[in-house]
Each structure stands twice: as structure tokens, then as C-alpha cells.
Amino acid sequence: MKYDFKTQDSKWQKKWEEAGIFNASADHSKPKFYGLVEFPYPSGAGMHVGHIKAYSGLEVISRKRRMEGYNVLFPIGFDAYGLPTENYAIKTGIHPRLVTDRNIEKFTSQLKRVGFSFDWTRTVDTTDEKYYKWTQWIFRKMFDSGLVFRATTLVNYCPSCRVVLSNEDSQGGKCDICHSDVIQKSKDVWYLRITEYADKLLEGLNHVDYLPNIKLQQENWIGRSEGAFANFAIAGTGDYLRIYTTRCDTMFGVTFMVIAPEHPIIEKYAGRIKNMPELEAYRAECAKKTEFERTQLVKDKTGVRIDGLTAVNPANGKEIPIYISDYVMMGYGTGAIMAVPAHDERDYDFAKKFGIDIIEVIKGGDISKEAYTGDGEMVNSGFLNGIKTKKEAIDKMLAFLYENGLGEKGVQYKMKDWAFNRQRYWGEPIPIVHCPRCGMVGVPYDELPLKLPDMENFAPGEGGESPLAKVESFVNCICPKCGGKARRETDTMPQWAGSSWYFLRYCDPHNDECLASMDELKYWMPVDWYNGGMEHVTRHMIYSRFWHRFLYDIGFVPTAEPYAKRTAQGLILGPDGDKMSKSKGNVVDPNTIVDEYGADVLRVYVLFMGDYGSAAPWNENSVRGCKRFLERVAGLTDIASGKGETKSLEASFHKTVKKVSADIEAMKYNTAIAAMMTLINEIYDHGYLTTDELGVFVRLLCPFAPHVCEEIWESIGGNGFCSVAKWPEWDESKTVDETVQYAVQVLGKLRAVIEVPADFSKEQVLTAAKADPKVAQFINGKTVVKEIFVPGKLVNIVVK
RNA sequence: GCACCCGUGGUGGAACUGGCAGACACGCAAGAUUUAGGAUCUUGUACUUCGGUGUGUGGGUUCAAAUCCCACCGGGUGUACCA
């Protein structure tokens, strides 16, 4: 048979769709498998080969599960709210709704051309009012639970996009969307109190199977640290400065304090402070810097001493100076620190620059050269002297602080509350009404969805307010509580909102009564296997775990954690080894590959190109190699005949079935394909195989290259679709060859390879090994001291 | 800076728990076939003075090290003054 993808691809895609074989079944009696891939943002550029690799991984798993008899839910949808679409709409004047629909259509046709086994009856579109009704509903529930609040703060603002960004969206001081510089601006913004869930999110990691580095990244992101709060009296006032430290064991070494420039203590004691103008000047300087600049200036510490205020070290009663410096942040801990220059690098730099005393309290380093942060014996530390471990010293100091009412144990997180709004048009309207009498009032549940009004000009206002503020009919409303005149909130939700719960909707996508019925959720959840990019393992995954945990706490989902297992694929790099990007012109369009080589070749290549979890460059020559492989597969029909098993191929078949089955589970797709290539090479060397064996081969390959396998399956009279035929089994006893090869080493060096019957004993193998002339040459006339025997593998003869 | 991961032929990459390094594929070379080939098939393909030597470099543990330990060099990812 010829590998004729041009007619075969579309033929089978059509048949699968008509038969609906990939649609999840409503039958809850079967065991289920829920495989999830990150739904795409339907950008105007269309799909990227990276999407194909990302989806192909779980595609293979999902197809294998179907063949193993599972009821499989393998859905796809579109995360369609977002700035690129809106910016395009502003530029072209085409409504974002139209742009989105067009892009979704384009993505859909591209995905279908690759033959992915998605359940197309369950697609979701986050911009569909039937979907965002429930996004708004969850937000309302959070509002009711006190997890939503509003605060005026300095925010990251992108002057180009005219939009407030979360810290996560403005990393490196650049806007995540347009990459221009982010500035600091004072704004009233919405927050979700995700910090309240910090411990739950951290604890939940103990119950899921994520790749270790993914877990680690989430732990770092949450950033829990255990330490102590301590109060440092401000001399001559009844007041104190509260600090947070993880190293209270070093408290005897505190020689100064540093507070954040914005710390309120400065206003409070302005009357006592003698150098207010100098402090004000420094504060003005800091306010100009973005958070990025502030955290980048690691090399050179700056600061000003507060003249007129001093603090008292609670450990030894010594009076110490207080400085303001921008290396201390108001947003972490208490905005004030105790500085121990001998044992903290930042404090050391600061003390050196300002000529402050450096007192060693832990032996082991050379504090004339640098700060010592290691362990050692305590010195110059009063009641801690002589203690040798950090833990003991910390415990003693904690007890001292607690007994004297000077402080106590405490926990801090790096994670901050989630800035949850955009001043943009293309997003879910926030369902809140501002009433002059009642304050903030939630839009009643029966009025959801609060629909995004249609409008012509989507450009944000000059001051950065939302375009929705211009729509009078939207803004002016009645307070749901008192019935008086009120104004509607005009901000919309950030893009992360819709993706924070989409996996729940897939379970019951057409439900108008609730986000998904408990019955369906109990069957399908949790997601058994979630695969996606490393770039989403912190933000998206932490946000969605937070939403899901909240829904669990209020009783709307059956499991605490949404994802039982999470893996990640590596990037596809351009042929030049660089990251694919439009500007570099090294982007490969999946369409051109499908046109030229067929869907199966594309699918096989993205999985064969290298280790699934690692980045690998695109290489068109290797694509041709995959095509050659599939042509050879199609050619097997010409040499297949008869029933049963071919004796000389039997072991190879059973071994390959075993290896491919195991490799798929371990996402080692490259070696699974290599094993099938090895087998096909062997078959051609052998000259023929049986039709039954060909049936095994195509079922094994079907998850990777389903079109050609269906075609062959049909031609050999296979029952129904190959895609849902029974996954091949192997017989362990048949995976062993009759003879085995032993590597024979003398003194660890390979001297010969001998072939002996598989059931040979250690003695028999050793006798055979020593009889080999190449081995004998090295042991004759010497004494054998030791004989190492590794069954089925190798012998090593140690001589003297 | 810190944390984690990774360094294997001309290339992408294999190698289970320490047990024959280089599977599989690309590329390249020679040959066959073809009007032709960017098609197909066959053979070869780490280096070598043919003793051996080889998994970034230098040490160590072991009968045996790509794999484990120590130091260093190089690259990637994440994070960034987190007290």
C-alpha cells in the first residue's frame, strides 16, 4: 500500500467525526480518564508547531487509554479574552468578537487537520456569555466570602497598553504583552485574597503527582518562610518597631535597623526627626524608581540615617541607629528589619558603606572580608554563647522573646494578593455595583451573566480607565440593595480568570443551572493528567488551584485539588536553535508540514525529535526520516499474509509491545517510536510477517500515526476503528530470546561477547566465557581472584 | 547572587536500579537502480600508531562509572535585596 496521506487523512478525520468515537461517553459505569491540555489563546497568527507538540503528548496517552477500555475525556477549548485581540481590534476597527470567532475557526480547522482525538462536542470559549456567566458567578461567590477587596496602591502600569498589570505580568519591569517599560502609578484596584490560601496551596502539593521541578517552582512561588516577629523599642517613646526575621539567633549581632522608605513611623515621629528634608528627598528618589529598578540595584546600597530616632536591641539593651533604605520593602514582612551585618550579605554591604559596627556572633567565617551565613558556635551573644547549632539558638531566642513579651514565632509568604482587574474592554465585566449609600454591592446571581456591552471604540481612556466607562447605559444602574441610583464597576477581569476553572466546565459544558453538575464532577474530577508549558506552572496553575480549592471549600466541587498529575513539554526551537519568533522569521507553520508530509508525519516527528520534556531544534531532514518510516509502515501490507505469529519475530513483537506500552506512560515517546522503527527494520530483514502481526503493529502505532494505521487496519479487515481497537498485550514469557549474549570482561575490560542458551547457570556461563580464546589469552597463567556474574548481561573475571 | 536542571559522534538524541557507551534517526561516503533526483534500495560511518583511547575538566569510590562523591569550567530554566 502507498502512504497516500492526501486522501487518507481527510477520509479518516471525517469518519471519526461521523462516528463520534472520540466523544466522552455519558456512561459512568466505565473507568474514566480525564486528560487535559492547556487550551490555546486563539491568536491571529494561527497555530504553531509548539501547540502540536504540547497536544501530541496527551493525545497519545488519551488514545492509548481509549484502546485500554477507558471512558476518556480529552477536551479542547479557547482562552479567548485578551489584549492581542483587543489591540488588533483597536488598530483595524474590527470588533473583538469577530476577530475571536475568526481565530477560533482557524484554530479549529488546523487542529482537526492534525487528527487530534478531541471531543469537539465539549469545546468551551471563555468569551461566550454562557461560559463567562460562571466566571462571574465564581467571582461573586468569592466576593460573598470576603476574598475580594479593593485597595489603593502603587501599581505596575503599562503606558503603552494603558493597563494595570499584576507583578506577575510585569516581571523584569517589562509589560508581559507589549514589552514596553512599566511605570508605577497610584490606583484603586481589585484584589483576590489568594494569600489566605497560601498554606492550603502549599499543603495540597503533598497530595498530587507533579514533576519535581514543577512542585519546587510552586513552593518557591508561595515562598513560605518560618521565623520570628520581634519588637524593637524606639528610645524615648513608648513605641516600638516591629520586624520579621528568620535569623533571630543572630540578634546579639544587630547593630542597626533599616526600614522601608514608605514606613509610616516616619510620619508618626516627624516632630522628633531632625533631618526630614533629607529623608523626604530620598523618598522622592525611591518613588521614581520602578520596582524593577529598585530590585536591580543590588550592587550599591543607598540610604539615609534617621536623625533623632534610635532603637533598642531587645537582646542586649544596646541603643542602635535606624536608617531608611530601599533595599527594605514595605510589601514583605513588616517593612522593617533588624540588620546583622556580620551574618547577612546585604546588611554587610550597607554597614561597610555607612561605617557601622560589625559584630561577629557566629564563629566560622572571616567577617573582615565578608558576611558569614553558615553555621557555627555562638559568641558575643550573652545567654546563647557556646551553642553550636542554628536550630538550638533560634529556639532559645524565641523562648526569650516570648517570655519577655518582645516577640513570637511567625510565618511569612512571598506570594502577594492577586491584582484582579484590567481597564480593558475585551474581558469579563466585574459584577459589582458601586452605590453611594450601600457601598460595593454584588450583581444578583439571577442577573448573571452581566453582559459585556457592544461598543464601537474600544480604546482605553487617557487616564487609564476602562473603555466601558464611556458606555452610559452600562455604567448607570440601580443598586440591587436599596434601589437607588448607582454606578456599575467598569473594570474587567484579567485573562487568568477564564482559565482558572475551564477544566470544570468540560465535565458538563452545556449546563445552564450550574457551572457543572456535582454528578458529572464526581465522575470526571480530578483531571488525571494535565500537560502544558513550564511557563504556566506558577501563575495559571496556582491561580486555578486557588479557585478550585475555594469552590471545594464552599461545596461546589468534589475534590480539593484539580490536577492529579502534571507534566510539561519542552519548547520546539527554530532550525537555527533559537526560540521560534516572528521577528526572527524562524517559525514553522504546522499547516505547511501537513500539506507536504501529512498529519501523521507531523505527529510522529514532534514526538520523535527528542526527549519530550526538553527543548529541541526543528530539523526538516528528520521530518523526512519520519515520512520514510510511515511509508515503510504502509508497505508492510505488501509482505503480510497468514494468521498467527511468526516464530522468528515473536520475541521482538512481544518486547516491542512491552517497551512501547511502558515508554508511552513515561512520556518517552522518542524511544517508543525508535522501538517501532527497530521492529520494522527487523521485519523487512526477515522478509514477511503475518496479517495478525501487522494488526498488532498498527494498533501499537495508532496513537502516534492514526490515519495510516486506520487505512491499514481497514485493508486487513480489522474490526471497527483501529483508534478504539484493543490495545495489544504482551506475554512476558515470550519477551525472552532463546539465547542471550554475555559481555565478558577481564579486569573490567571487554574482551569478548559470547552467546549462550538463556537458561545457562552462572557456572556454565563462566566456563563458556573462560573457554573463549580471546578471554583465555588474558587469564592464562594468572590467578582468578573474583568472578562477577550479572544474569543475562555480563561476567567480569578479576585476575592477579 | 541564589535554587534547580543539563554537558555523550558532524547533528537530534539512546543507555533500566552503577553492568557491552553511541540504540533510533538525520547527515555524510560508496555502490545499485533510474532519462534525472532533494526518490528508492544495499553497505559503511566516534577516534586510533590497531596496543589501545574515548561521555565538559581534574580528582575519588568500585571488580565495574555517562550514571555515585568532591572541586572546577561551560550552558539552560526559574527567581531576584523576601529579612
Side-chain angles (χ1 to χ4, degrees), chain A residues 557-575:
Chain A
V557 298
T559 62
E561 285 292 330
Y563 318 121
K565 175 171 180 155
R566 165 76 188 203
T567 52
Q569 77 279 352
L571 286 178
I572 296 185
L573 307 172

Side-chain angles (χ1 to χ4, degrees), chain A residues 125-141:
Chain A
D125 164 4
T126 56
T127 66
D128 182 344
E129 61 184 53
K130 285 186 179 148
Y131 181 89
Y132 73 68
K133 169 181 178 175
W134 300 105
T135 311
Q136 292 173 330
W137 182 91
I138 298 169
F139 179 88
R140 270 281 349 238
K141 284 285 178 191

Side-chain angles (χ1 to χ4, degrees), chain A residues 199-210:
Chain A
D199 263 331
K200 284 179 176 175
L201 292 172
L202 196 59
E203 202 280 329
L205 291 175
N206 296 325
H207 309 290
V208 293
D209 175 22
Y210 295 175

Side-chain angles (χ1 to χ4, degrees), chain A residues 285-424:
Chain A
E285 192 75 16
C286 295
K288 271 197 284 181
K289 296 181 197 168
T290 65
E291 183 167 345
F292 177 66
E293 284 169 330
R294 229 173 116 163
T295 56
Q296 278 301 296
L297 296 170
V298 184
K299 309 131 246 157
D300 201 19
K301 296 271 181 291
T302 61
V304 180
R305 179 170 176 176
I306 303 176
D307 190 2
L309 286 185
T310 56
V312 179
N313 184 342
N316 57 15
K318 277 193 194 158
E319 206 167 313
I320 50 175
I322 307 172
Y323 290 80
I324 63 172
S325 173
D326 61 2
Y327 86 86
V328 174
M329 311 287 154
M330 208 54 224
Y332 183 82
T334 60
I337 63 157
M338 64 175 216
V340 187
H343 305 290
D344 181 282
E345 284 163 31
R346 296 152 302 169
D347 299 346
Y348 188 86
D349 292 345
F350 194 88
K352 277 281 177 194
K353 181 156 177 188
F354 287 86
I356 310 167
D357 290 347
I358 299 172
I359 300 172
E360 178 178 61
V361 293
I362 298 172
K363 283 210 277 194
D366 180 0
I367 60 155
S368 66
K369 292 205 181 74
E370 58 182 6
Y372 175 65
T373 55
D375 233 338
E377 187 184 338
M378 303 296 301
V379 291
N380 302 321
S381 291
F383 63 89
L384 297 180
N385 280 340
I387 294 175
K388 298 223 168 49
T389 68
K390 198 189 323 191
K391 193 187 175 306
E392 195 188 335
I394 287 175
D395 287 346
K396 264 220 161 119
M397 180 54 84
L398 274 172
F400 168 81
L401 291 171
Y402 189 73
E403 281 159 20
N404 294 284
L406 294 165
E408 69 285 325
K409 259 189 178 174
V411 170
Q412 284 290 301
Y413 300 93
K414 286 185 197 173
M415 188 166 73
K416 293 177 184 153
D417 280 321
W418 177 5
F420 194 76
N421 57 325
R422 295 295 131 93
Q423 287 68 44
R424 282 302 195 134

